[in-house]
Amino acid sequence: MEYRIGHGYDVHAIAEGLPMWLGGVQIPSATGFVAHSDGDVAVHALCDALLGAAGLGDIGLHFPDSSAEFKGISSLILLERVMEMLSAAGWKVANADITIALQAPKLRPHIDAMRAALAPVLGVGVNAVNVKATTTERLGFVGRGEGCEVWAVALLCK
Ligand code: MG
């Protein structure tokens, strides 16, 4: 068995009146993420972790935000395309772990829905997709409610 690990990181700014998509789930919120796509910063970090593990570059390389094709696109479609690239190279996902830093709203009630949304796209059970959420204790740009920061790690095998 061959294994590869990858890491992903992404940040999006927060603004009033935009939808808040995280981990493939729309979170009820008066604020959302500024983005060319749907702004799902958690899926973007996950895509980068997967692409990193496979040695396939990063999300900006494959889905440039200068392209009209990706304007407002669901990030789950981007994740599906990443999975197609991985499958073509013979890789399967062993597991993924995501940490979301967001001051508000509280994400705890939405964690299970995120895992359920991501697992079938990754081709794994929900136990192989972990999602964690934290505030930054009101420190920094996350703590001031200016942005959301996400880190993801993924392990591939073949
Ligand atoms: Mg992004």
Side-chain angles (χ1 to χ4, degrees), residues 22-25 40 42-43 46 76 79 98 113-124 129-131:
L22 268 177
V25 173
D40 193 327
V43 171
L46 178 59
L76 285 180
L79 183 60
I98 300 168
M114 292 185 205
R115 298 174 76 182
L118 297 172
V121 184
L122 296 177
V124 298
V129 192
N130 198 63
V131 179

Side-chain angles (χ1 to χ4, degrees), residues 10-12 19-27 32-48 59 72-79 98 100 114 117-118 131 148 150:
D10 198 22
V11 172
H12 279 258
M20 180 178 283
W21 286 93
L22 268 177
V25 173
Q26 188 166 13
I27 310 295
F33 304 129
V34 179
H36 185 69
S37 67
D38 67 359
D40 193 327
V41 55
V43 171
H44 295 178
L46 178 59
C47 285
D48 267 354
I59 194 170
I73 195 170
S74 165
S75 294
L76 285 180
I77 294 173
L78 303 183
L79 183 60
I98 300 168
I100 303 169
M114 292 185 205
L118 297 172
V131 179
C148 178
V150 180

Side-chain angles (χ1 to χ4, degrees), residues 96-153:
D97 187 24
I98 300 168
T99 301
I100 303 169
L102 182 70
Q103 192 60 42
K106 291 287 182 208
L107 296 177
R108 169 56 46 197
H110 308 290
I111 296 290
D112 287 346
M114 292 185 205
R115 298 174 76 182
L118 297 172
V121 184
L122 296 177
V124 298
V126 288
N127 288 342
V129 192
N130 198 63
V131 179
K132 308 183 298 295
T134 184
T135 70
T136 60
E137 301 290 343
R138 305 206 167 274
L139 296 170
F141 71 86
V142 171
R144 290 189 297 272
E146 295 168 3
C148 178
E149 196 170 28
V150 180
W151 299 261
V153 177

